[in-house]
Amino acid sequence: MVTDQPGSGSGGSGSGSGSMVRRILLGSQLRRLREAKAITREAAGYSIRASESKISRMELGRVSFKERDVADLLTLYGINDPYERDALLGLVREANIAGWWHGYGDVLPQWFQTYIGLEESASVIRIFDVQFIPGLLQTEEYTRAICSLGHPAGTTEEIERRVEMRRERQKLLVSERAPRILAVVDEVAMRRRIAGPRGMRAQLEYLLEISERPNVTLHVLPLEFTGYPAAGGYPFTMLSFPEPDIGDVVYVEQLTGAMYIDKREETAQYGKAMEKLCSDSLTPAKTVERLRNILRDT
């Protein structure tokens, strides 16, 4: 489990669309090459003038890569075939492409930039939320209300920058590489009038509209549900990737940072929790009925 805090830098400053996944993929390949030659992390670190812990972070994809360092490691590992070297060094260059979200560094903390890099690369995104409509499914007015609530001292310009950034994120849903979205949202979030009556009506209407998309599955966890034994009531997002070498990552947001959980035995528990939440929730068809009922009450 990795905990990112603001300023920690573990998300890297040069991650573009898919770059986080490319770093993880490159790191796992470097680890396999090292282990195949029975070379210790300490010896690998010495070859590139770095520490053992630096090699560990590289192999986990948690730091940026320098092309020279990777080239030296490939030589140490006996990778001399020019095609194989070029393919791996190409991953380094791709991982260092800056993403669109770095233009919002003034309103976007470093630890959340890591999440956006993962979100951009995911093929499946499973979300459980209790208090709010998930960010990818929010209307502009609802987002503005959320940003104003979370940043009461923010200027109008800052709030609008945050809204604009959220809208940029949402373009993922209609892109050619749109991921499959499965969201379980507590009915309380649907009824809480954060954006006022008019804003909430627009938000509910949008949920009804977007739930018709083939890549979006929405479940409402009804008010009659009595508890959260599966997930303890904590919101989380689970990201899965098309690359078979990359395991799931669970994102749990906190007030001043976030946890990124990637140990397979732990992510498997979150997967079971999501399955239980889906079974405890209304089906997509009944979710539509409930949303229409809430809309009439709003």
Side-chain angles (χ1 to χ4, degrees):
M1 177 173 68
V2 185
T3 302
D4 277 2
Q5 297 293 341
S8 70
S10 59
S13 61
S15 54
S17 176
S19 63
M20 173 65 68
V21 167
R22 291 186 182 97
R23 286 209 306 265
I24 296 172
L25 184 59
L26 177 58
S28 68
Q29 291 177 325
L30 290 174
R31 186 191 71 248
R32 285 198 298 272
L33 292 172
R34 178 182 60 78
E35 292 175 344
K37 291 291 185 179
I39 296 172
T40 65
R41 288 193 182 96
E42 183 180 7
Y46 182 80
S47 73
I48 63 168
R49 304 156 297 281
S51 65
E52 178 181 355
S53 62
K54 171 70 177 293
I55 294 297
S56 178
R57 293 194 299 273
M58 287 176 67
E59 292 181 349
L60 292 170
R62 292 173 184 165
V63 292
S64 58
F65 293 87
K66 293 181 180 178
E67 192 169 339
R68 183 188 66 179
D69 289 343
V70 175
D72 289 346
L73 288 174
L74 293 177
T75 300
L76 177 66
Y77 301 157
I79 306 303
N80 299 312
D81 181 273
Y83 294 103
E84 188 172 1
R85 290 178 68 91
D86 286 348
L88 291 167
L89 292 174
L91 279 178
V92 178
R93 292 187 287 272
E94 291 173 9
N96 289 331
I97 298 172
W100 62 262
W101 52 91
H102 291 287
Y104 294 91
D106 54 326
V107 294
L108 192 63
Q110 182 68 48
W111 49 267
F112 194 62
Q113 292 184 31
T114 300
Y115 172 78
I116 294 181
L118 291 169
E119 181 180 79
E120 287 271 317
S121 305
S123 56
V124 180
I125 302 175
R126 286 168 281 183
I127 307 165
F128 169 54
D129 214 323
V130 181
Q131 298 188 66
F132 306 114
I133 308 300
L136 287 176
L137 308 181
Q138 292 176 5
T139 62
E140 183 173 331
E141 190 171 355
Y142 186 93
T143 296
R144 187 172 291 107
I146 290 290
C147 291
S148 299
L149 182 67
H151 304 276
T155 64
T156 300
E157 182 180 5
E158 289 171 343
I159 296 300
E160 289 307 309
R161 286 278 290 162
R162 295 179 188 279
V163 173
E164 181 183 315
M165 188 273 294
R166 183 72 51 89
R167 301 296 284 177
E168 284 295 320
R169 274 181 63 201
Q170 292 172 347
K171 290 180 180 179
L172 181 65
L173 290 180
V174 294
S175 69
E176 292 182 357
R177 53 188 169 79
R180 186 165 64 87
I181 306 293
L182 189 155
V184 177
V185 185
D186 197 301
E187 184 175 343
V188 171
M190 310 288 189
R191 293 185 177 276
R192 184 175 287 117
R193 297 186 178 186
I194 289 175
R198 183 175 64 85
M200 284 308 300
R201 282 195 295 271
Q203 176 63 73
L204 292 167
E205 289 169 351
Y206 180 65
L207 288 177
L208 286 168
E209 175 188 335
I210 202 169
S211 65
E212 295 179 358
R213 291 184 182 274
N215 63 313
V216 176
T217 302
L218 180 62
H219 294 271
V220 165
L221 194 62
L223 290 177
E224 53 266 30
F225 182 64
T226 57
Y228 302 101
Y234 296 102
F236 66 89
T237 300
M238 191 168 185
L239 303 148
S240 300
F241 306 94
E243 291 80 0
D245 290 340
I246 299 176
D248 294 338
V249 175
V250 173
Y251 171 79
V252 182
E253 189 169 311
Q254 301 168 328
L255 181 62
T256 58
M259 290 191 301
Y260 293 85
I261 302 167
D262 56 9
K263 290 184 178 179
R264 291 185 185 272
E265 60 270 22
E266 295 184 27
T267 59
Q269 292 184 44
Y270 277 90
K272 291 178 181 177
M274 180 58 75
E275 290 177 4
K276 182 67 164 63
L277 287 164
C278 287
S279 67
D280 289 335
S281 299
L282 301 177
T283 65
K286 289 189 177 298
T287 288
V288 168
E289 293 179 14
R290 184 62 59 95
L291 286 174
R292 287 172 177 160
N293 290 336
I294 298 171
L295 185 57
R296 283 195 290 270
D297 296 339
T298 302

